[in-house]
Amino acid sequence: MKRLYVFLPLLMAGYTGTVLTAQGQTKADVIVVNGKVTTVDGERETQAVAIAGNKVLFTGTDAQVLKLKTKQTKVIDAGGRRVIPGLFDSHLHVIRGGRFYNTELRWDGVSSLKRALEMLKEQAQRTPAGQWVRVVGGWNEYQFDERRLPTLAEINAATGNVPAFILYLYGKAWLNKAGLQQLGIDGNTPNPAGGLIEKDDEGNPTGLLVAEPNAFILYSTLAKLPELTTAEKVNSTLQYMTELNRLGVTAVMDAGGGFQNFPDDYGITDSLNRLGKISVRLPYFLFAQKKGTELDDFRKWTGMVEIDDHGDNGINGVDYYVRGGGENLVMDAADFENFMFPRPELPASLEGNLKAVVQLLVKKRWPFRLHATYNESISRALSVIEAVDKETPLNGLAWLIDHAETVSEENMQRIMALGGGIAVQHRMAYQGESFIHRYGKKAALAAPPVKRMLEIGLPVGLGTDGTRVASYNPWVTLYWITTGKSIGGSQVMAKEHTLDRLTALRLLTAGGYSLIKEKGKGSIRPGNYADLVILNKDYLTIPEGEISSISSVLTMVDGKVVYGDDVFKSLAPAALPVIPSWSPVKYFGGYQYSK
Ligand SMILES: [Zn+2]
């Protein structure tokens, strides 16, 4: 049956007359015509796509595909636009991000500090008592015309008595005076481990919090800010998924995150899944939260979840299930990603603690992923995984290293030998200047060495690591990896180490699925799930400077239109009003585009 399915479209080329789905369907429910369809199925490019149920039935010319039309078939005219497979961000903190999205004012994409402070002032004025105005990562000073950070004086002037928290990647944050007061931070407040509460000459906190380089000071402070109500969190999560759909994202490999506790903090997405309202495929990983209880927590979690039981793949056919452990397996392995400070030396207890957890996961056949920015951390982690493999063979179990900015040739070969992969994100687009400042231009030329990873045959997935240490906009990722430039326009990666646009797109579609060894997704080909996007601009031909401004005009997940704009608006579900009424998302939306 499967063989028939694959060869029949080829026979069709000769118009033998019938195309068949696994379910025996021969006619299309939906047809997209008049497109420039980049299938990511090899180099194959075509004009039209036929969809039956939630699967691609056939791809070919308009004439070929329209033969599969019935009176009931919905025909969508792409208007000559570029059509691509849905984007799969293989490292994003979407489940945690959704819980807070409607509280956060986004400076992602804002092109001047003047505008950023105006937005801050406007948002502070509408923020009700008891709530905060907050900007939580996803920006840096080099995106601003002024190419500088805001001052505490400017922040206090813009926010007045409304408590404010502004996060700068995972390097530092600013609290305004009202915020310091609200949190009871004063001259007697001690510095947390690996962090600094900056004090003035009189010993009073200035408002600046610094990760040195431990980011715990930052996300533990953020965790003290008021949360939304359950109904608002549901709305916030739906708004965030729609924002991702607006960017052409149809799937995310969620990496957990600090203060994202299982199962409690998964209640919102659990309930949305039960309602069939998840609009982004969501295989998610469980992130160890507490030093010293990591092994116990994974024992508990592996006892609670059948890892290969994808349930019903999500009520509405959109994946939502636990896919494995990580990105944080043990606190000892956390090497952060703060290039404003030296690489941290990881404790001697790392190997023992990490081995116990990895061994448990391998025994339970749980795929796993591990956060590791620096090659030195990767070397130690690999020694552990190699040791586990000797005792409890991995045998093709999916596993990966996240980030790997400074991974060496030798360690790439070791990952390869253990059947692992690497998930890469555009963090250097946000920290390239800091990295060069600390390690020099030469060290940044191939950091991370993505092209070399592909040359040696490593599975590689691209992503953003949004929403804090970088923006969640995957088009910034494609801009970065095809140009080698930071969001501030600095040439960080050498041009010869960048990727061509089609290869880069492949890593942000099919790439993620190769990391978790999943078939049937990531390219537009017969038999694959129907996840596709019609773009507002032609990614393959526009000037490089415009890549970050690309978005979707129609996004389809599992054969259903989840987002529509422009002429396709009427095909999509109606936009959900944003709550609460003071939410910055209601007034500014998400990613900002300079006028
Ligand atoms: Zn990470």
Side-chain angles (χ1 to χ4, degrees):
M1 183 62 169
K2 199 148 201 317
R3 227 163 342 93
L4 170 67
Y5 195 176
V6 170
F7 283 112
L8 209 58
L10 298 173
L11 295 172
M12 261 302 290
Y15 284 112
T16 56
T18 52
V19 169
L20 200 59
T21 67
Q23 295 77 21
Q25 194 173 335
T26 58
K27 292 299 180 183
D29 298 314
V30 178
I31 284 176
V32 176
V33 290
N34 188 20
K36 291 181 198 145
V37 184
T38 301
T39 64
V40 184
D41 181 15
E43 310 270 319
R44 189 172 149 69
E45 189 151 316
T46 185
Q47 214 183 8
V49 184
I51 293 153
N54 64 350
K55 299 272 180 70
V56 175
L57 178 62
F58 183 60
T59 63
T61 64
D62 286 353
Q64 288 172 325
V65 166
L66 285 167
K67 287 206 178 309
L68 304 171
K69 179 178 175 303
T70 68
K71 285 199 197 69
Q72 287 72 44
T73 302
K74 174 100 200 122
V75 177
I76 298 173
D77 182 340
R81 294 179 180 84
R82 179 68 55 188
V83 180
I84 61 168
L87 300 179
F88 181 13
D89 185 333
S90 53
H91 190 121
L92 176 64
H93 301 273
V94 62
I95 298 175
R96 181 184 63 185
R99 292 165 48 216
F100 298 98
Y101 181 68
N102 281 7
T103 67
E104 297 175 5
L105 177 68
R106 305 231 58 98
W107 281 357
D108 306 40
V110 175
S111 58
S112 77
L113 181 55
K114 179 170 175 293
R115 172 69 185 148
L117 291 168
E118 277 167 12
M119 293 168 72
L120 190 66
K121 183 169 185 171
E122 187 189 320
Q123 185 54 31
Q125 282 159 352
R126 72 167 64 88
T127 299
Q131 264 298 344
W132 287 57
V133 56
R134 63 188 91 175
V135 178
V136 183
W139 63 280
N140 81 4
E141 68 271 42
Y142 300 106
Q143 73 190 55
F144 297 144
D145 300 337
E146 301 88 341
R147 300 185 80 76
R148 68 171 178 83
L149 294 168
T151 65
L152 272 161
E154 286 168 331
I155 292 169
N156 276 293
T159 53
N161 299 327
V162 176
F165 176 91
I166 296 178
L167 181 71
Y168 172 74
L169 310 175
Y170 264 157
K172 54 189 162 187
W174 298 273
L175 286 166
N176 67 352
K177 291 198 169 27
L180 286 168
Q181 204 173 19
Q182 190 85 17
L183 295 179
I185 296 174
D186 60 23
N188 305 317
T189 309
N191 293 328
L196 171 80
I197 298 171
E198 185 190 61
K199 305 269 171 61
D200 62 19
D201 300 344
E202 278 84 51
N204 298 313
T206 62
L208 176 64
L209 309 177
V210 184
E212 299 189 322
N214 189 328
F216 185 77
I217 184 174
L218 305 176
Y219 41 72
S220 60
T221 303
L222 183 55
K224 293 183 185 129
L225 274 53
E227 295 205 10
L228 295 170
T229 66
T230 300
E232 290 165 350
K233 279 181 193 162
V234 166
N235 183 282
S236 177
T237 300
L238 288 167
Q239 299 294 346
Y240 187 35
M241 287 197 281
T242 300
E243 168 71 354
L244 293 171
N245 291 151
R246 182 188 68 78
L247 291 164
V249 175
T250 59
V252 166
M253 231 205 294
D254 187 272
F259 294 88
Q260 180 62 26
N261 298 284
F262 182 81
D264 300 352
D265 295 329
Y266 291 81
I268 301 293
T269 38
D270 288 351
S271 65
L272 286 170
N273 180 48
R274 278 192 296 277
L275 295 167
K277 291 205 167 168
I278 299 266
S279 69
V280 171
R281 298 186 185 282
L282 260 181
Y284 60 92
F285 286 72
L286 303 185
F287 185 110
Q289 297 291 326
K290 211 154 148 285
K291 184 169 178 45
T293 67
E294 299 100 327
L295 183 60
D296 290 344
D297 288 338
F298 278 113
R299 275 208 190 99
K300 196 172 57 188
W301 298 337
T302 52
M304 290 164 68
V305 176
E306 266 316 307
I307 198 63
D308 283 328
D309 166 10
H310 296 177
D312 49 22
N313 212 7
I315 299 283
N316 63 351
V318 177
D319 319 35
Y320 173 76
Y321 53 85
V322 176
R323 195 67 187 94
E327 63 173 305
N328 189 44
L329 297 176
V330 291
M331 291 305 185
D332 285 350
D335 65 359
F336 309 108
E337 54 267 300
N338 181 2
F339 301 131
M340 293 190 294
F341 277 82
R343 171 180 62 77
E345 281 306 332
L346 303 177
S349 52
L350 163 67
E351 281 74 11
N353 290 331
L354 183 61
K355 187 173 182 201
V357 169
V358 171
Q359 196 140 44
L360 170 81
L361 295 175
V362 175
K363 278 203 176 105
K364 296 274 187 177
R365 305 310 292 168
W366 268 48
F368 62 92
R369 60 188 314 171
L370 181 65
H371 164 114
T373 298
Y374 302 100
N375 192 52
E376 293 77 0
S377 316
I378 295 170
S379 296
R380 294 178 65 180
L382 285 171
S383 305
V384 168
I385 299 167
E386 284 161 350
V388 170
D389 183 50
K390 283 205 180 70
E391 295 163 22
T392 319
L394 291 163
N395 275 345
L397 181 69
W399 75 278
L400 58 118
I401 294 283
D402 281 299
H403 315 314
E405 269 83 7
T406 66
V407 69
S408 67
E409 174 75 21
E410 184 204 352
N411 281 341
M412 286 191 278
Q413 298 288 358
R414 290 168 77 188
I415 295 169
M416 186 77 181
L418 287 163
I422 300 179
V424 168
Q425 305 80 35
H426 59 187
R427 294 137 40 103
M428 290 295 275
Y430 290 81
Q431 287 200 70
E433 290 86 355
S434 300
F435 186 94
I436 289 172
H437 184 71
R438 176 162 300 283
Y439 299 109
K441 237 184 156 348
K442 194 158 172 292
L445 295 176
V450 184
K451 204 168 186 176
R452 184 65 191 139
M453 294 173 190
L454 298 177
E455 282 164 6
I456 65 175
L458 268 168
V460 176
L462 270 179
T464 62
D465 199 3
T467 59
R468 299 173 180 178
V469 296
S471 176
Y472 57 83
N473 186 340
W475 296 99
V476 175
T477 313
L478 291 169
Y479 165 75
W480 162 70
I481 198 63
T482 57
T483 65
K485 292 178 179 167
S486 70
I487 60 169
S490 313
Q491 190 71 44
V492 175
M493 182 184 277
K495 192 66 188 147
E496 68 265 26
H497 294 302
T498 62
L499 303 179
D500 65 81
R501 293 189 189 189
L502 186 56
T503 302
L505 180 64
R506 188 187 311 284
L507 299 190
L508 203 54
T509 51
Y513 292 111
S514 73
L515 287 176
I516 49 176
K517 305 186 179 189
E518 207 162 308
K519 300 246 177 318
K521 295 173 188 144
S523 63
I524 302 174
R525 59 180 301 198
N528 273 14
Y529 287 89
D531 299 351
L532 60 80
V533 180
I534 303 177
L535 299 177
N536 67 342
K537 296 177 181 180
D538 188 344
Y539 163 64
L540 292 180
T541 60
I542 56 167
E544 65 177 32
E546 286 184 48
I547 294 175
S548 302
S549 69
I550 294 176
S551 62
S552 162
V553 286
L554 183 139
T555 301
M556 180 183 281
V557 177
D558 210 54
K560 289 180 278 309
V561 177
V562 294
Y563 177 82
D565 192 9
D566 202 333
V567 293
F568 304 100
K569 211 173 184 112
S570 61
L571 299 176
L576 185 69
V578 177
I579 59 166
S581 61
W582 54 268
S583 166
V585 171
K586 182 174 174 181
Y587 299 89
F588 299 106
Y591 192 91
Q592 305 291 305
Y593 298 91
S594 45
K595 305 280 178 300

